[in-house]
Amino acid sequence: MLTSTKNYAIILLMTTKILKIDVNHPEENKIAEAASIIKQGGLVAFPTETVYGLGADALLPEGAKRIYAAKGRPSDNPLIVHIADFEALDRIARDIPAGAKALADAFWPGPLTMIFHKTSLVPYETTGGLDTVAVRMPVHPVALALIRQGGGYIAAPSANTSGKPSPTQAKHVALDLDGKIPLILDGGPVPIGIESTIVDLSGDIPMILRPGYITKEMLEQVIGEVRVDPGLTKEDAHVRPKAPGMKYKHYAPNADLILVSGQKEDVVERINSLVREGREKGEKDGIICTEETAGLYQADIVKSIGSRQDEDSIAKHLYEILREFDELEVDKIYSESFQTPRLGQAIMNRLLKAAGHQVIEV
Ligand code: TXA
Ligand code: MG
């Protein structure tokens, strides 16, 4: 009894070390320190090109259990296994279709996750009880070095508390997980800012379960027909998304987020009038807009997410801006919609979820 009380106290009092690491040439001693934690079944947060991940040894049931506990994540929500070389795939996945090899050649290392039937090497704790496994080979040098030194298979969800926006900077990880994990590798802001595209290759026709930086068109250029999980687009509660994680409330800021969609002038006018009404009621409201419109709003808090001419900048700042609004403790956030040509689907997928699908069409 006494021992278990002591253990409990140790978990509560864990100090989280934040180690700055060189992104292009990760220092060997820092990678070694992180890898030794992973090999002992512990947790390390690390940068990838998409978002920060919370890593554990994917082949140890204990590692996955620690991830679920630290994130407060339901344990039926499977984890992505990160690998660093192509040979690693055959040990954890079986019945790998030819299309997958073509996709790997085209997009790995990079922001693409593929789902396969799993081998017995992968514990059910890692796959949330499923017979399939999600696999990704990231391109970030820190991630690759950690995977190689840490045993070759790192399970890593985004390193946020379940339900919060994914972390794109080490300080976001610290805000959510300080005291719950021993180490954060700080590689500065990540380059992409939204999570990887997930494509399921375990069925007859490849199916996108989560849109991301690699678009449907890019996949189709390599393997032909690709479908999009109907659960992603329909608001019908009976159509369940196939990726268990996509059904949960997600990416949500503390304030009520409302999207306004339509022609630029109409959107600006409506948001300005909504903010005016809010002010009369004593509310503190904020606005998410773009460089092109920032000067047109009359509100106390107007944040530009990026430029419509550069949709990568919008993806990159999306989660950061949602977290900034949490710090400002606003009551409501009104946001423009960003149906941009290439990343619009991925951006709006996150933003609509963050807004709980509250959209005003003008
Ligand atoms: O970019 C990314 O993918 C980041 C970085 C860290 O690599 N990781 C990430 O992991 O976004 P996470 O756990 O936050 O999201 C993984 C999603 C969840 O929605 C989960 O349900 C789904 O992938 N998933 C994982 N394995 C699956 C499987 N076998 N079948 C269906 N969905 C799966
Ligand atoms: Mg996540």
Side-chain angles (χ1 to χ4, degrees), residues 48 50-54 71 73 77-80 82 113 115 127 130 132-134 136 156-158 194-196 198 209-210 242-246:
T48 81
T50 56
V51 298
Y52 273 76
L54 179 61
K71 278 181 65 89
R73 172 168 172 143
N77 189 0
L79 307 172
I80 296 173
H82 295 67
T113 296
I115 293 177
T127 65
L130 297 177
T132 52
V133 61
R136 172 162 114 82
S158 48
I194 50 175
E195 308 85 347
S196 62
I198 302 181
L209 306 191
R210 181 174 71 184
K242 292 200 163 40
M246 300 299 276

PDB file of all heavy atoms in Angstrom, residues 48 50-54 71 73 77-80 82 113 115 127 130 132-134 136 156-158 194-196 198 209-210 242-246, ligand 1:
ATOM      1  N   THR A  48       7.633  16.471 -35.662  1.00  0.00           N
ATOM      2  CA  THR A  48       7.606  15.857 -36.994  1.00  0.00           C
ATOM      3  C   THR A  48       7.277  17.002 -37.950  1.00  0.00           C
ATOM      4  O   THR A  48       7.009  18.116 -37.510  1.00  0.00           O
ATOM      5  CB  THR A  48       6.545  14.739 -37.140  1.00  0.00           C
ATOM      6  OG1 THR A  48       5.270  15.326 -37.387  1.00  0.00           O
ATOM      7  CG2 THR A  48       6.489  13.837 -35.909  1.00  0.00           C
ATOM      8  N   THR A  50       4.596  17.392 -39.546  1.00  0.00           N
ATOM      9  CA  THR A  50       3.169  17.751 -39.489  1.00  0.00           C
ATOM     10  C   THR A  50       2.831  18.472 -38.189  1.00  0.00           C
ATOM     11  O   THR A  50       2.474  19.645 -38.195  1.00  0.00           O
ATOM     12  CB  THR A  50       2.296  16.495 -39.625  1.00  0.00           C
ATOM     13  OG1 THR A  50       2.673  15.553 -38.598  1.00  0.00           O
ATOM     14  CG2 THR A  50       2.432  15.870 -40.998  1.00  0.00           C
ATOM     15  N   VAL A  51       2.935  17.735 -37.071  1.00  0.00           N
ATOM     16  CA  VAL A  51       2.683  18.280 -35.732  1.00  0.00           C
ATOM     17  C   VAL A  51       3.629  17.554 -34.771  1.00  0.00           C
ATOM     18  O   VAL A  51       4.282  16.588 -35.171  1.00  0.00           O
ATOM     19  CB  VAL A  51       1.209  18.045 -35.277  1.00  0.00           C
ATOM     20  CG1 VAL A  51       0.230  18.752 -36.205  1.00  0.00           C
ATOM     21  CG2 VAL A  51       0.864  16.558 -35.170  1.00  0.00           C
ATOM     22  N   TYR A  52       3.714  18.004 -33.521  1.00  0.00           N
ATOM     23  CA  TYR A  52       4.521  17.274 -32.537  1.00  0.00           C
ATOM     24  C   TYR A  52       3.825  15.958 -32.192  1.00  0.00           C
ATOM     25  O   TYR A  52       2.597  15.899 -32.070  1.00  0.00           O
ATOM     26  CB  TYR A  52       4.713  18.097 -31.257  1.00  0.00           C
ATOM     27  CG  TYR A  52       5.909  19.041 -31.333  1.00  0.00           C
ATOM     28  CD1 TYR A  52       5.826  20.214 -32.081  1.00  0.00           C
ATOM     29  CD2 TYR A  52       7.114  18.740 -30.699  1.00  0.00           C
ATOM     30  CE1 TYR A  52       6.925  21.068 -32.188  1.00  0.00           C
ATOM     31  CE2 TYR A  52       8.214  19.584 -30.797  1.00  0.00           C
ATOM     32  CZ  TYR A  52       8.123  20.744 -31.542  1.00  0.00           C
ATOM     33  OH  TYR A  52       9.203  21.575 -31.651  1.00  0.00           O
ATOM     34  N   GLY A  53       4.637  14.894 -32.050  1.00  0.00           N
ATOM     35  CA  GLY A  53       4.098  13.587 -31.674  1.00  0.00           C
ATOM     36  C   GLY A  53       4.478  13.232 -30.248  1.00  0.00           C
ATOM     37  O   GLY A  53       5.470  13.738 -29.716  1.00  0.00           O
ATOM     38  N   LEU A  54       3.664  12.362 -29.631  1.00  0.00           N
ATOM     39  CA  LEU A  54       3.984  11.847 -28.295  1.00  0.00           C
ATOM     40  C   LEU A  54       4.377  10.385 -28.474  1.00  0.00           C
ATOM     41  O   LEU A  54       3.518   9.527 -28.677  1.00  0.00           O
ATOM     42  CB  LEU A  54       2.777  11.979 -27.362  1.00  0.00           C
ATOM     43  CG  LEU A  54       2.990  11.441 -25.950  1.00  0.00           C
ATOM     44  CD1 LEU A  54       4.117  12.177 -25.240  1.00  0.00           C
ATOM     45  CD2 LEU A  54       1.698  11.557 -25.138  1.00  0.00           C
ATOM     46  N   LYS A  71      -2.385  11.461 -22.446  1.00  0.00           N
ATOM     47  CA  LYS A  71      -3.250  12.298 -23.290  1.00  0.00           C
ATOM     48  C   LYS A  71      -4.686  12.357 -22.805  1.00  0.00           C
ATOM     49  O   LYS A  71      -5.469  13.201 -23.238  1.00  0.00           O
ATOM     50  CB  LYS A  71      -3.294  11.737 -24.730  1.00  0.00           C
ATOM     51  CG  LYS A  71      -2.131  12.141 -25.604  1.00  0.00           C
ATOM     52  CD  LYS A  71      -2.304  11.546 -26.996  1.00  0.00           C
ATOM     53  CE  LYS A  71      -3.484  12.068 -27.769  1.00  0.00           C
ATOM     54  NZ  LYS A  71      -3.253  13.263 -28.575  1.00  0.00           N
ATOM     55  N   ARG A  73      -6.663   9.909 -23.533  1.00  0.00           N
ATOM     56  CA  ARG A  73      -7.272   9.477 -24.798  1.00  0.00           C
ATOM     57  C   ARG A  73      -7.988   8.146 -24.606  1.00  0.00           C
ATOM     58  O   ARG A  73      -7.455   7.252 -23.959  1.00  0.00           O
ATOM     59  CB  ARG A  73      -6.155   9.324 -25.831  1.00  0.00           C
ATOM     60  CG  ARG A  73      -6.551   8.712 -27.166  1.00  0.00           C
ATOM     61  CD  ARG A  73      -5.396   8.913 -28.123  1.00  0.00           C
ATOM     62  NE  ARG A  73      -5.533   8.232 -29.381  1.00  0.00           N
ATOM     63  CZ  ARG A  73      -5.111   8.770 -30.541  1.00  0.00           C
ATOM     64  NH1 ARG A  73      -4.577   9.972 -30.563  1.00  0.00           N
ATOM     65  NH2 ARG A  73      -5.217   8.101 -31.664  1.00  0.00           N
ATOM     66  N   ASN A  77      -8.890   4.253 -29.474  1.00  0.00           N
ATOM     67  CA  ASN A  77      -8.477   5.141 -30.567  1.00  0.00           C
ATOM     68  C   ASN A  77      -7.032   4.813 -30.940  1.00  0.00           C
ATOM     69  O   ASN A  77      -6.099   5.189 -30.242  1.00  0.00           O
ATOM     70  CB  ASN A  77      -8.613   6.593 -30.113  1.00  0.00           C
ATOM     71  CG  ASN A  77      -8.408   7.569 -31.262  1.00  0.00           C
ATOM     72  OD1 ASN A  77      -8.157   7.158 -32.396  1.00  0.00           O
ATOM     73  ND2 ASN A  77      -8.499   8.850 -30.965  1.00  0.00           N
ATOM     74  N   PRO A  78      -6.840   4.095 -32.081  1.00  0.00           N
ATOM     75  CA  PRO A  78      -5.525   3.533 -32.402  1.00  0.00           C
ATOM     76  C   PRO A  78      -4.442   4.566 -32.683  1.00  0.00           C
ATOM     77  O   PRO A  78      -4.727   5.703 -33.047  1.00  0.00           O
ATOM     78  CB  PRO A  78      -5.810   2.699 -33.659  1.00  0.00           C
ATOM     79  CG  PRO A  78      -7.049   3.275 -34.241  1.00  0.00           C
ATOM     80  CD  PRO A  78      -7.855   3.807 -33.103  1.00  0.00           C
ATOM     81  N   LEU A  79      -3.185   4.123 -32.551  1.00  0.00           N
ATOM     82  CA  LEU A  79      -2.024   4.999 -32.716  1.00  0.00           C
ATOM     83  C   LEU A  79      -1.354   4.734 -34.060  1.00  0.00           C
ATOM     84  O   LEU A  79      -1.458   3.633 -34.604  1.00  0.00           O
ATOM     85  CB  LEU A  79      -1.022   4.724 -31.589  1.00  0.00           C
ATOM     86  CG  LEU A  79      -1.614   4.795 -30.171  1.00  0.00           C
ATOM     87  CD1 LEU A  79      -0.572   4.321 -29.154  1.00  0.00           C
ATOM     88  CD2 LEU A  79      -2.072   6.215 -29.856  1.00  0.00           C
ATOM     89  N   ILE A  80      -0.661   5.737 -34.580  1.00  0.00           N
ATOM     90  CA  ILE A  80       0.115   5.556 -35.813  1.00  0.00           C
ATOM     91  C   ILE A  80       1.509   5.062 -35.436  1.00  0.00           C
ATOM     92  O   ILE A  80       2.148   5.613 -34.540  1.00  0.00           O
ATOM     93  CB  ILE A  80       0.226   6.891 -36.588  1.00  0.00           C
ATOM     94  CG1 ILE A  80      -1.170   7.351 -37.047  1.00  0.00           C
ATOM     95  CG2 ILE A  80       1.166   6.750 -37.780  1.00  0.00           C
ATOM     96  CD1 ILE A  80      -1.199   8.750 -37.673  1.00  0.00           C
ATOM     97  N   HIS A  82       5.311   4.868 -36.357  1.00  0.00           N
ATOM     98  CA  HIS A  82       6.259   5.605 -37.189  1.00  0.00           C
ATOM     99  C   HIS A  82       7.513   4.761 -37.423  1.00  0.00           C
ATOM    100  O   HIS A  82       8.077   4.223 -36.469  1.00  0.00           O
ATOM    101  CB  HIS A  82       6.622   6.935 -36.523  1.00  0.00           C
ATOM    102  CG  HIS A  82       5.460   7.882 -36.406  1.00  0.00           C
ATOM    103  ND1 HIS A  82       4.379   7.623 -35.602  1.00  0.00           N
ATOM    104  CD2 HIS A  82       5.204   9.068 -37.008  1.00  0.00           C
ATOM    105  CE1 HIS A  82       3.504   8.620 -35.725  1.00  0.00           C
ATOM    106  NE2 HIS A  82       3.984   9.518 -36.565  1.00  0.00           N
ATOM    107  N   THR A 113       0.057   8.675 -44.030  1.00  0.00           N
ATOM    108  CA  THR A 113      -0.095   7.486 -43.189  1.00  0.00           C
ATOM    109  C   THR A 113      -0.909   6.463 -43.962  1.00  0.00           C
ATOM    110  O   THR A 113      -1.931   6.809 -44.558  1.00  0.00           O
ATOM    111  CB  THR A 113      -0.827   7.854 -41.878  1.00  0.00           C
ATOM    112  OG1 THR A 113      -0.001   8.760 -41.139  1.00  0.00           O
ATOM    113  CG2 THR A 113      -1.111   6.623 -41.026  1.00  0.00           C
ATOM    114  N   ILE A 115      -2.821   2.545 -43.927  1.00  0.00           N
ATOM    115  CA  ILE A 115      -3.355   1.510 -43.032  1.00  0.00           C
ATOM    116  C   ILE A 115      -3.331   0.146 -43.724  1.00  0.00           C
ATOM    117  O   ILE A 115      -3.770   0.011 -44.872  1.00  0.00           O
ATOM    118  CB  ILE A 115      -4.776   1.877 -42.572  1.00  0.00           C
ATOM    119  CG1 ILE A 115      -4.680   3.113 -41.677  1.00  0.00           C
ATOM    120  CG2 ILE A 115      -5.436   0.717 -41.827  1.00  0.00           C
ATOM    121  CD1 ILE A 115      -5.994   3.648 -41.203  1.00  0.00           C
ATOM    122  N   THR A 127      -2.941  -0.681 -31.500  1.00  0.00           N
ATOM    123  CA  THR A 127      -3.941  -0.495 -32.560  1.00  0.00           C
ATOM    124  C   THR A 127      -5.352  -0.313 -32.010  1.00  0.00           C
ATOM    125  O   THR A 127      -6.331  -0.413 -32.760  1.00  0.00           O
ATOM    126  CB  THR A 127      -3.945  -1.693 -33.546  1.00  0.00           C
ATOM    127  OG1 THR A 127      -4.377  -2.865 -32.835  1.00  0.00           O
ATOM    128  CG2 THR A 127      -2.580  -1.931 -34.147  1.00  0.00           C
ATOM    129  N   LEU A 130      -7.719  -3.069 -32.928  1.00  0.00           N
ATOM    130  CA  LEU A 130      -7.993  -3.380 -34.339  1.00  0.00           C
ATOM    131  C   LEU A 130      -6.966  -4.373 -34.910  1.00  0.00           C
ATOM    132  O   LEU A 130      -5.851  -4.497 -34.396  1.00  0.00           O
ATOM    133  CB  LEU A 130      -7.947  -2.102 -35.187  1.00  0.00           C
ATOM    134  CG  LEU A 130      -8.980  -1.019 -34.873  1.00  0.00           C
ATOM    135  CD1 LEU A 130      -8.750   0.204 -35.758  1.00  0.00           C
ATOM    136  CD2 LEU A 130     -10.396  -1.559 -35.070  1.00  0.00           C
ATOM    137  N   THR A 132      -5.854  -3.942 -37.887  1.00  0.00           N
ATOM    138  CA  THR A 132      -5.102  -3.151 -38.856  1.00  0.00           C
ATOM    139  C   THR A 132      -4.129  -2.236 -38.107  1.00  0.00           C
ATOM    140  O   THR A 132      -4.308  -1.969 -36.918  1.00  0.00           O
ATOM    141  CB  THR A 132      -6.053  -2.281 -39.707  1.00  0.00           C
ATOM    142  OG1 THR A 132      -6.903  -1.537 -38.824  1.00  0.00           O
ATOM    143  CG2 THR A 132      -6.899  -3.134 -40.634  1.00  0.00           C
ATOM    144  N   VAL A 133      -3.122  -1.773 -38.846  1.00  0.00           N
ATOM    145  CA  VAL A 133      -2.150  -0.865 -38.237  1.00  0.00           C
ATOM    146  C   VAL A 133      -1.891   0.317 -39.179  1.00  0.00           C
ATOM    147  O   VAL A 133      -1.782   0.141 -40.389  1.00  0.00           O
ATOM    148  CB  VAL A 133      -0.821  -1.598 -37.888  1.00  0.00           C
ATOM    149  CG1 VAL A 133      -0.147  -2.187 -39.130  1.00  0.00           C
ATOM    150  CG2 VAL A 133       0.148  -0.672 -37.148  1.00  0.00           C
ATOM    151  N   ALA A 134      -1.836   1.512 -38.605  1.00  0.00           N
ATOM    152  CA  ALA A 134      -1.522   2.721 -39.366  1.00  0.00           C
ATOM    153  C   ALA A 134      -0.012   2.945 -39.296  1.00  0.00           C
ATOM    154  O   ALA A 134       0.577   2.858 -38.222  1.00  0.00           O
ATOM    155  CB  ALA A 134      -2.268   3.917 -38.771  1.00  0.00           C
ATOM    156  N   ARG A 136       3.448   5.319 -40.722  1.00  0.00           N
ATOM    157  CA  ARG A 136       3.940   6.527 -41.397  1.00  0.00           C
ATOM    158  C   ARG A 136       5.447   6.616 -41.270  1.00  0.00           C
ATOM    159  O   ARG A 136       6.004   6.276 -40.224  1.00  0.00           O
ATOM    160  CB  ARG A 136       3.287   7.765 -40.752  1.00  0.00           C
ATOM    161  CG  ARG A 136       3.851   9.095 -41.230  1.00  0.00           C
ATOM    162  CD  ARG A 136       2.879  10.213 -40.898  1.00  0.00           C
ATOM    163  NE  ARG A 136       3.366  11.175 -39.926  1.00  0.00           N
ATOM    164  CZ  ARG A 136       4.162  12.194 -40.212  1.00  0.00           C
ATOM    165  NH1 ARG A 136       4.609  12.381 -41.441  1.00  0.00           N
ATOM    166  NH2 ARG A 136       4.525  13.055 -39.267  1.00  0.00           N
ATOM    167  N   ALA A 156       3.029   7.139 -32.172  1.00  0.00           N
ATOM    168  CA  ALA A 156       2.935   8.551 -31.791  1.00  0.00           C
ATOM    169  C   ALA A 156       1.651   9.198 -32.282  1.00  0.00           C
ATOM    170  O   ALA A 156       1.478   9.412 -33.481  1.00  0.00           O
ATOM    171  CB  ALA A 156       4.138   9.338 -32.310  1.00  0.00           C
ATOM    172  N   PRO A 157       0.766   9.515 -31.350  1.00  0.00           N
ATOM    173  CA  PRO A 157      -0.347  10.405 -31.690  1.00  0.00           C
ATOM    174  C   PRO A 157       0.151  11.835 -31.582  1.00  0.00           C
ATOM    175  O   PRO A 157       1.297  12.067 -31.169  1.00  0.00           O
ATOM    176  CB  PRO A 157      -1.359  10.116 -30.577  1.00  0.00           C
ATOM    177  CG  PRO A 157      -0.508   9.798 -29.389  1.00  0.00           C
ATOM    178  CD  PRO A 157       0.755   9.140 -29.924  1.00  0.00           C
ATOM    179  N   SER A 158      -0.676  12.804 -31.955  1.00  0.00           N
ATOM    180  CA  SER A 158      -0.308  14.189 -31.728  1.00  0.00           C
ATOM    181  C   SER A 158      -0.139  14.402 -30.209  1.00  0.00           C
ATOM    182  O   SER A 158      -0.867  13.806 -29.415  1.00  0.00           O
ATOM    183  CB  SER A 158      -1.393  15.106 -32.290  1.00  0.00           C
ATOM    184  OG  SER A 158      -2.675  14.670 -31.860  1.00  0.00           O
ATOM    185  N   ILE A 194      -0.612  20.721 -39.955  1.00  0.00           N
ATOM    186  CA  ILE A 194      -1.785  19.853 -39.788  1.00  0.00           C
ATOM    187  C   ILE A 194      -1.331  18.399 -39.957  1.00  0.00           C
ATOM    188  O   ILE A 194      -0.325  18.137 -40.616  1.00  0.00           O
ATOM    189  CB  ILE A 194      -2.934  20.182 -40.778  1.00  0.00           C
ATOM    190  CG1 ILE A 194      -2.417  20.271 -42.200  1.00  0.00           C
ATOM    191  CG2 ILE A 194      -3.658  21.449 -40.386  1.00  0.00           C
ATOM    192  CD1 ILE A 194      -3.510  20.464 -43.227  1.00  0.00           C
ATOM    193  N   GLU A 195      -2.088  17.475 -39.359  1.00  0.00           N
ATOM    194  CA  GLU A 195      -1.660  16.086 -39.305  1.00  0.00           C
ATOM    195  C   GLU A 195      -1.648  15.437 -40.690  1.00  0.00           C
ATOM    196  O   GLU A 195      -2.298  15.911 -41.623  1.00  0.00           O
ATOM    197  CB  GLU A 195      -2.568  15.265 -38.376  1.00  0.00           C
ATOM    198  CG  GLU A 195      -2.773  15.833 -36.990  1.00  0.00           C
ATOM    199  CD  GLU A 195      -3.881  16.860 -36.941  1.00  0.00           C
ATOM    200  OE1 GLU A 195      -4.340  17.318 -38.010  1.00  0.00           O
ATOM    201  OE2 GLU A 195      -4.297  17.206 -35.827  1.00  0.00           O
ATOM    202  N   SER A 196      -0.966  14.286 -40.767  1.00  0.00           N
ATOM    203  CA  SER A 196      -0.798  13.568 -42.034  1.00  0.00           C
ATOM    204  C   SER A 196      -2.127  13.136 -42.650  1.00  0.00           C
ATOM    205  O   SER A 196      -3.124  12.944 -41.945  1.00  0.00           O
ATOM    206  CB  SER A 196       0.056  12.318 -41.792  1.00  0.00           C
ATOM    207  OG  SER A 196      -0.587  11.444 -40.891  1.00  0.00           O
ATOM    208  N   ILE A 198      -4.431  10.334 -43.985  1.00  0.00           N
ATOM    209  CA  ILE A 198      -4.511   8.890 -43.704  1.00  0.00           C
ATOM    210  C   ILE A 198      -5.266   8.205 -44.829  1.00  0.00           C
ATOM    211  O   ILE A 198      -6.391   8.594 -45.164  1.00  0.00           O
ATOM    212  CB  ILE A 198      -5.238   8.612 -42.375  1.00  0.00           C
ATOM    213  CG1 ILE A 198      -4.519   9.311 -41.219  1.00  0.00           C
ATOM    214  CG2 ILE A 198      -5.327   7.111 -42.118  1.00  0.00           C
ATOM    215  CD1 ILE A 198      -5.152   9.074 -39.860  1.00  0.00           C
ATOM    216  N   LEU A 209      -9.136   8.449 -44.929  1.00  0.00           N
ATOM    217  CA  LEU A 209      -9.854   8.529 -43.651  1.00  0.00           C
ATOM    218  C   LEU A 209      -9.639   9.877 -42.968  1.00  0.00           C
ATOM    219  O   LEU A 209     -10.378  10.238 -42.066  1.00  0.00           O
ATOM    220  CB  LEU A 209      -9.396   7.417 -42.697  1.00  0.00           C
ATOM    221  CG  LEU A 209      -9.449   5.975 -43.206  1.00  0.00           C
ATOM    222  CD1 LEU A 209      -9.231   5.009 -42.048  1.00  0.00           C
ATOM    223  CD2 LEU A 209     -10.768   5.666 -43.895  1.00  0.00           C
ATOM    224  N   ARG A 210      -8.580  10.578 -43.375  1.00  0.00           N
ATOM    225  CA  ARG A 210      -8.337  11.927 -42.841  1.00  0.00           C
ATOM    226  C   ARG A 210      -7.611  12.725 -43.923  1.00  0.00           C
ATOM    227  O   ARG A 210      -6.543  12.316 -44.373  1.00  0.00           O
ATOM    228  CB  ARG A 210      -7.477  11.859 -41.566  1.00  0.00           C
ATOM    229  CG  ARG A 210      -7.201  13.234 -40.944  1.00  0.00           C
ATOM    230  CD  ARG A 210      -6.475  13.131 -39.603  1.00  0.00           C
ATOM    231  NE  ARG A 210      -5.095  12.709 -39.743  1.00  0.00           N
ATOM    232  CZ  ARG A 210      -4.274  12.474 -38.728  1.00  0.00           C
ATOM    233  NH1 ARG A 210      -4.711  12.594 -37.481  1.00  0.00           N
ATOM    234  NH2 ARG A 210      -3.028  12.097 -38.939  1.00  0.00           N
ATOM    235  N   LYS A 242     -14.455   6.162 -40.370  1.00  0.00           N
ATOM    236  CA  LYS A 242     -13.764   4.887 -40.213  1.00  0.00           C
ATOM    237  C   LYS A 242     -12.531   4.986 -39.314  1.00  0.00           C
ATOM    238  O   LYS A 242     -12.113   4.006 -38.733  1.00  0.00           O
ATOM    239  CB  LYS A 242     -13.376   4.335 -41.581  1.00  0.00           C
ATOM    240  CG  LYS A 242     -14.595   3.925 -42.386  1.00  0.00           C
ATOM    241  CD  LYS A 242     -14.229   2.963 -43.489  1.00  0.00           C
ATOM    242  CE  LYS A 242     -15.423   2.216 -44.038  1.00  0.00           C
ATOM    243  NZ  LYS A 242     -16.633   3.008 -44.193  1.00  0.00           N
ATOM    244  N   ALA A 243     -11.915   6.166 -39.246  1.00  0.00           N
ATOM    245  CA  ALA A 243     -10.809   6.334 -38.295  1.00  0.00           C
ATOM    246  C   ALA A 243     -11.439   6.655 -36.943  1.00  0.00           C
ATOM    247  O   ALA A 243     -12.102   7.677 -36.808  1.00  0.00           O
ATOM    248  CB  ALA A 243      -9.889   7.455 -38.724  1.00  0.00           C
ATOM    249  N   PRO A 244     -11.257   5.777 -35.957  1.00  0.00           N
ATOM    250  CA  PRO A 244     -11.938   6.001 -34.686  1.00  0.00           C
ATOM    251  C   PRO A 244     -11.746   7.416 -34.136  1.00  0.00           C
ATOM    252  O   PRO A 244     -12.669   8.008 -33.590  1.00  0.00           O
ATOM    253  CB  PRO A 244     -11.301   4.954 -33.763  1.00  0.00           C
ATOM    254  CG  PRO A 244     -10.882   3.860 -34.690  1.00  0.00           C
ATOM    255  CD  PRO A 244     -10.475   4.538 -35.966  1.00  0.00           C
ATOM    256  N   GLY A 245     -10.539   7.975 -34.348  1.00  0.00           N
ATOM    257  CA  GLY A 245     -10.238   9.289 -33.787  1.00  0.00           C
ATOM    258  C   GLY A 245     -11.064  10.407 -34.392  1.00  0.00           C
ATOM    259  O   GLY A 245     -11.252  11.455 -33.780  1.00  0.00           O
ATOM    260  N   MET A 246     -11.572  10.209 -35.614  1.00  0.00           N
ATOM    261  CA  MET A 246     -12.290  11.290 -36.287  1.00  0.00           C
ATOM    262  C   MET A 246     -13.692  11.484 -35.716  1.00  0.00           C
ATOM    263  O   MET A 246     -14.368  12.447 -36.056  1.00  0.00           O
ATOM    264  CB  MET A 246     -12.364  11.034 -37.801  1.00  0.00           C
ATOM    265  CG  MET A 246     -11.008  10.929 -38.477  1.00  0.00           C
ATOM    266  SD  MET A 246     -10.003  12.421 -38.353  1.00  0.00           S
ATOM    267  CE  MET A 246     -10.637  13.376 -39.723  1.00  0.00           C
TER     268      MET A 246
HETATM  269  O1  TXA B   1       0.735  13.722 -38.690  1.00  0.00           O
HETATM  270  C1  TXA B   1       0.374  12.800 -37.943  1.00  0.00           C
HETATM  271  O2  TXA B   1      -0.213  11.797 -38.378  1.00  0.00           O
HETATM  272  C2  TXA B   1       0.690  12.932 -36.449  1.00  0.00           C
HETATM  273  C3  TXA B   1       2.207  12.906 -36.265  1.00  0.00           C
HETATM  274  C4  TXA B   1       2.621  12.866 -34.828  1.00  0.00           C
HETATM  275  O3  TXA B   1       2.749  11.826 -36.987  1.00  0.00           O
HETATM  276  N1  TXA B   1       0.034  11.908 -35.701  1.00  0.00           N
HETATM  277  C5  TXA B   1      -1.313  11.908 -35.495  1.00  0.00           C
HETATM  278  O4  TXA B   1      -1.772  10.862 -34.702  1.00  0.00           O
HETATM  279  O5  TXA B   1      -2.059  12.746 -35.951  1.00  0.00           O
HETATM  280  P1  TXA B   1      -3.213  10.890 -33.985  1.00  0.00           P
HETATM  281  O6  TXA B   1      -3.191   9.703 -33.074  1.00  0.00           O
HETATM  282  O7  TXA B   1      -3.447  12.201 -33.349  1.00  0.00           O
HETATM  283  O8  TXA B   1      -4.211  10.597 -35.137  1.00  0.00           O
HETATM  284  C6  TXA B   1      -4.251   9.319 -35.711  1.00  0.00           C
HETATM  285  C7  TXA B   1      -5.571   9.055 -36.344  1.00  0.00           C
HETATM  286  C8  TXA B   1      -6.697   8.857 -35.341  1.00  0.00           C
HETATM  287  O9  TXA B   1      -7.860   9.499 -35.843  1.00  0.00           O
HETATM  288  C9  TXA B   1      -6.879   7.347 -35.342  1.00  0.00           C
HETATM  289  O10 TXA B   1      -8.199   6.966 -35.005  1.00  0.00           O
HETATM  290  C10 TXA B   1      -6.521   6.976 -36.758  1.00  0.00           C
HETATM  291  O11 TXA B   1      -5.452   7.821 -37.065  1.00  0.00           O
HETATM  292  N2  TXA B   1      -6.029   5.578 -36.879  1.00  0.00           N
HETATM  293  C11 TXA B   1      -4.895   5.056 -36.379  1.00  0.00           C
HETATM  294  N3  TXA B   1      -4.812   3.748 -36.643  1.00  0.00           N
HETATM  295  C12 TXA B   1      -5.908   3.420 -37.345  1.00  0.00           C
HETATM  296  C13 TXA B   1      -6.421   2.198 -37.906  1.00  0.00           C
HETATM  297  N4  TXA B   1      -5.755   1.057 -37.787  1.00  0.00           N
HETATM  298  N5  TXA B   1      -7.617   2.251 -38.550  1.00  0.00           N
HETATM  299  C14 TXA B   1      -8.286   3.421 -38.682  1.00  0.00           C
HETATM  300  N6  TXA B   1      -7.869   4.602 -38.164  1.00  0.00           N
HETATM  301  C15 TXA B   1      -6.692   4.594 -37.507  1.00  0.00           C
END
